[in-house]
Amino acid sequence: MKNLPNGIKWLIVLGVLALMVVLAWKVNDRASRVEMPQPDNTFGIYRSAEE
């Protein structure tokens, strides 16, 4: 890694960051399409907005 020019090192860093952005975007896109279940109010911790 010490023998690589600075430009190549920055390209590697930017490539890794771009990959992380793409993966985060894909995870967020998939998670936004999953239907979430209603909250379980077994212990009565949720209150309605009317109260």
Side-chain angles (χ1 to χ4, degrees):
M1 204 60 177
K2 290 183 179 183
N3 296 337
L4 289 175
N6 248 0
I8 300 297
K9 291 178 187 177
W10 279 108
L11 281 176
I12 292 171
V13 169
L14 290 177
V16 168
L17 288 176
L19 179 65
M20 289 173 60
V21 167
V22 168
L23 291 176
W25 183 51
K26 286 185 176 276
V27 167
N28 187 40
D29 181 52
R30 181 166 179 175
S32 67
R33 289 186 272 130
V34 174
E35 187 174 329
M36 297 296 291
Q38 291 298 317
D40 181 17
N41 200 17
T42 301
F43 301 108
I45 60 174
Y46 297 109
R47 292 180 291 184
S48 66
E50 295 86 33
E51 289 181 18

